[in-house]
Amino acid sequence: MLSAVALLLALLAATILVVFLVKRPPLTRIVKLWLFIGLGPLPISAAMAGNVANFEVTTKRKFCASCHTMTIHANDAADPHSKTLASIHSKNPYFGDKSCYVCHADYGMFGTVLTKIGGMHHVWDYYTDDWSVPGHRPPKLYKPFSNSACMQCHSIDKPNGPLEHKIHGAAVKEGQVSCAAANCHNAPHPRPAGQTAANASGDKP
Amino acid sequence: MTTPSLSEKNATITAKIERRVRWACVFALVALALIAFSLVVPRPLPVIVAMSVAQGIGTLSLLIFMQVVVRDVWLAMGSRISAARSSSPGQSSPPQ
């Protein structure tokens, strides 16, 4: 909807500007007023609406999947029969088609900004690295996955929780043990060939 | 070498202003095209270009236009002041 509004505003502004460039009318008062509309409020509104629409688009799983290195993860997340954490959470309507962003976005006051900066880092690596070189490292997280992403919904302090949470709770909260560690909740995504659990999570091997 | 007349000066200024306005229009069209493309093809590169390069080009367009507007207003004020001075009683012909 917002994309349509942004496109409409851009079209209106472009129409005014193209008519001015083609017809070349003298700069009378009415022409100046039209130019002000075509160079001021309309393009600014189109840019603002477009920015918000693009911010929203970048949170969708389809956007993440537009880089082919993410295809395996996106396809698995969308697979209703898969038992991975990503797929299970993607079936939850609170995640839906934003399941990548909900889990992988940074949090806090500057979380959105940090997430966007990280995303641009991904794009830079994607286009500047030659991923087709044999033996190239598979894609992995830049930093270990934060357990706080899991704990925003799943508390480990429940009194009737599993014994493992009681024993390892402090370590989980400090990030020393990952929720996705082996023998716990396991890998959230299918692992491409040649990728180990350590380098998949960004931890040191 | 003859100095340009007032009307020639005004014509030159008007031509400069019109050229700057046209450039502002061109830059705005380029920015709008990049933004529209990112909305139609929401892939990483178009989105990044729309939210960085296009914003810069659009801002440049607006700054050029605002500079033209300010200059236009300045010239109009100058003309009004000159006209007011030339028509004031103190400017009448000196006593014989």
Side-chain angles (χ1 to χ4, degrees), chain A residues 1-75:
Chain A
M1 176 68 184
L2 207 52
S3 299
V5 169
L7 282 170
L8 178 65
L9 291 170
L11 185 64
L12 288 172
T15 303
I16 293 171
L17 299 177
V18 166
V19 166
F20 174 77
L21 286 172
V22 168
K23 288 199 162 181
R24 292 195 172 196
L27 289 176
T28 58
R29 186 182 288 256
I30 193 75
V31 170
K32 288 178 189 175
L33 186 60
W34 275 110
L35 278 175
F36 171 73
I37 294 171
L39 286 170
L42 281 180
I44 290 173
S45 302
M48 286 170 67
N51 283 347
V52 174
N54 279 332
F55 265 121
E56 193 59 27
V57 156
T58 57
T59 63
K60 298 286 173 69
R61 190 169 60 236
K62 188 178 168 187
F63 181 81
C64 302
S66 57
C67 291
H68 74 87
T69 49
M70 289 292 115
T71 307
I72 180 173
H73 299 311
N75 288 344

Side-chain angles (χ1 to χ4, degrees), chain A residues 5-185:
Chain A
V5 169
L7 282 170
L8 178 65
L9 291 170
L11 185 64
L12 288 172
T15 303
I16 293 171
L17 299 177
V18 166
V19 166
F20 174 77
L21 286 172
V22 168
K23 288 199 162 181
R24 292 195 172 196
L27 289 176
T28 58
R29 186 182 288 256
I30 193 75
V31 170
K32 288 178 189 175
L33 186 60
W34 275 110
L35 278 175
F36 171 73
I37 294 171
L39 286 170
L42 281 180
I44 290 173
S45 302
M48 286 170 67
N51 283 347
V52 174
N54 279 332
F55 265 121
E56 193 59 27
V57 156
T58 57
T59 63
K60 298 286 173 69
R61 190 169 60 236
K62 188 178 168 187
F63 181 81
C64 302
S66 57
C67 291
H68 74 87
T69 49
M70 289 292 115
T71 307
I72 180 173
H73 299 311
N75 288 344
D76 172 74
D79 181 2
H81 304 295
S82 173
K83 300 292 181 201
T84 59
L85 290 177
S87 175
I88 291 168
H89 286 84
S90 294
K91 290 177 211 152
N92 188 320
Y94 289 108
F95 288 75
D97 60 353
K98 293 187 182 182
S99 53
C100 307
Y101 188 79
V102 173
C103 289
H104 286 283
D106 280 322
Y107 301 99
M109 189 172 166
F110 300 107
T112 304
V113 174
L114 291 173
T115 303
K116 297 306 173 193
I117 292 172
M120 291 179 67
H121 189 183
H122 287 308
V123 175
W124 176 261
D125 274 353
Y126 180 77
Y127 283 107
T128 57
D129 247 9
D130 186 0
W131 293 85
S132 61
V133 169
H136 191 288
R137 62 166 177 83
K140 66 181 180 77
L141 297 173
Y142 293 123
K143 57 185 179 182
F145 187 79
S146 172
N147 292 333
S148 59
C150 309
M151 289 189 286
Q152 63 172 336
C153 294
H154 301 285
S155 171
I156 60 171
D157 292 326
K158 290 183 198 170
N160 55 347
L163 182 64
E164 289 85 351
H165 284 179
K166 291 182 171 58
I167 295 172
H168 300 294
V172 167
K173 286 180 186 173
E174 289 170 13
Q176 294 167 0
V177 172
S178 171
C179 300
N183 299 324
C184 292
H185 296 284

